[in-house]
Amino acid sequence: MEFRIQTTALLPEEDRHALEAPSCGGYVSFEGWVRDHNEGQQVLKLEYQAYEQLATREGTRILDEAAARFPIENAVCVHRVGELEIGDLAVWVGVSSGHRDEAFRACRFIIDEVKQRVPIWKKEYYVSGDSGWVNCEACATPGHSHG
Amino acid sequence: MEFRIQTTALLPEEDRHALEAPSCGGYVSFEGWVRDHNEGQQVLKLEYQAYEQLATREGTRILDEAAARFPIENAVCVHRVGELEIGDLAVWVGVSSGHRDEAFRACRFIIDEVKQRVPIWKKEYYVSGDSGWVNCEACATPGHSHG
Amino acid sequence: MKTLAIEYFAIFRDHAGTDKETLHTEADTPADLFAELSVRHGFPELQTVKVAINDEFGDWNTQLNEGDSVVFIPPVAGG
Amino acid sequence: MKTLAIEYFAIFRDHAGTDKETLHTEADTPADLFAELSVRHGFPELQTVKVAINDEFGDWNTQLNEGDSVVFIPPVAGG
């Protein structure tokens, strides 16, 4: 079980080895790629920032929760930060288990929770020349609450 | 969209490239590994056989159905046949799409349908010395129907 | 009498002792043919068997024609 | 007066113009501190902001202590 933030290119082929076990019949992986568009805007590139200490803690908690919920063998998640180009791999999740059902469910659970809970931020740079922090620019409202 | 049967080792890293597209933000893959046990028996190795012409047709139909059901970009499935050892990769499914939800759903749909519909068979060789065709030995019943 | 090309897979191949044979038979349908071959090769009784005619899934009661290729499909187990 | 270590990320970093600063403040709670810094740096109004104290999620109304490190967490967008 490992959650990691790194600035260099992700190498799923290498991290996958940690998941192999003779008792495992199923392996499911998710890769998040940098897409050339988002919500109607043409995207040029992305910048990811992470609050590394807390991101690693919260990411590890998510993997532990996945292992408690689903009878999986192992799970690893690696998130890249820094400047990424279109097509680059931003996040990788790999899960191995005896049977496929739990590998699918755990992999989905992990990426969903990572996107919701782990302190990592994404700034999109658009073809138009604009840029913005995803979920921060659009959701700015006058009557806000931070409580 | 490609379904393929092959006798040589699967190389997901290579087949993955066919799925890459700048419009894709999500990629989900499933790998079926040869497990060291099944239904209480210790497995030594496996032998897969395929009825290649019909397997390729039916597999391709499944990929087409997945693309009709889910808004995915692309999907590939490769199944290996012949003698496989514990830990070997028997089947790989890769799906790319704009968002992750459809990639997860389509990948799951494809592997579930492949296991149910594609004429591929698996013979397990056990540590005990026994061997048997999965789903064929156990389900043999006196009052059968082949209609 | 017609001539058919039969191909065997998995448990049927093990029982037939061959992967294919050319057969001269009076069988009109895949159901007839399967009954004939079950006796000859001692096929086990299986819960569901499907049939393919000329490399496409077919019906047990369809009319077989001269030169057809026939494959009996025991329960599959890919993945 | 206490001394706190503040680290900024994402949109708060852009507005603060720095990734960290050491602050002498009268603020008793993260809520007080956020109000103070929002004025000073002109933070945008965001739907939900969380706070971390000493690298763990914390409460807006907890008592801040001398030497605490504080991070305000705008809406996340990993993946």
Side-chain angles (χ1 to χ4, degrees), chain B residues 93-106:
Chain B
V93 181
V95 178
S96 61
S97 61
H99 298 88
R100 70 188 183 286
D101 183 58
E102 50 260 30
F104 271 105
R105 289 155 58 102

Side-chain angles (χ1 to χ4, degrees), chain A residues 8 19 29-30 37 73 93 98 110 117 121:
Chain A
T8 52
L19 298 168
S29 76
F30 171 79
H37 65 283
E73 172 72 22
V93 181
I110 291 166
R117 292 165 47 184
W121 301 272

Side-chain angles (χ1 to χ4, degrees), chain C residues 1-67:
Chain C
M1 284 290 275
K2 56 179 74 74
T3 303
L4 302 173
I6 322 290
E7 198 169 355
Y8 296 107
F9 291 98
I11 199 164
F12 294 145
R13 181 179 294 182
D14 287 1
H15 280 79
T18 182
D19 61 345
K20 57 181 76 170
E21 64 178 331
T22 301
L23 196 75
H24 305 277
T25 178
E26 302 276 4
D28 279 333
T29 65
D32 295 342
L33 180 66
F34 189 71
E36 178 184 331
L37 291 170
S38 288
V39 171
R40 181 140 72 90
H41 295 307
F43 286 160
E45 309 251 332
L46 298 175
Q47 234 154 13
T48 41
V49 177
K50 292 182 178 176
V51 66
I53 302 159
N54 301 326
D55 295 334
E56 196 47 88
F57 288 111
D59 191 274
W60 285 104
N61 299 311
T62 201
Q63 177 66 43
L64 289 173
N65 297 310
E66 171 67 24

Side-chain angles (χ1 to χ4, degrees), chain B residues 95-136:
Chain B
V95 178
S96 61
S97 61
H99 298 88
R100 70 188 183 286
D101 183 58
E102 50 260 30
F104 271 105
R105 289 155 58 102
C107 188
R108 181 68 194 262
F109 171 84
I110 291 165
I111 188 62
D112 286 356
E113 295 293 310
V114 164
K115 281 171 173 263
Q116 276 178 35
R117 293 165 47 184
V118 174
I120 297 176
W121 301 272
K122 173 163 56 184
K123 190 177 197 171
E124 291 178 335
Y125 291 83
Y126 305 109
V127 172
S128 66
D130 279 354
S131 64
W133 291 99
V134 173
N135 295 340
C136 286

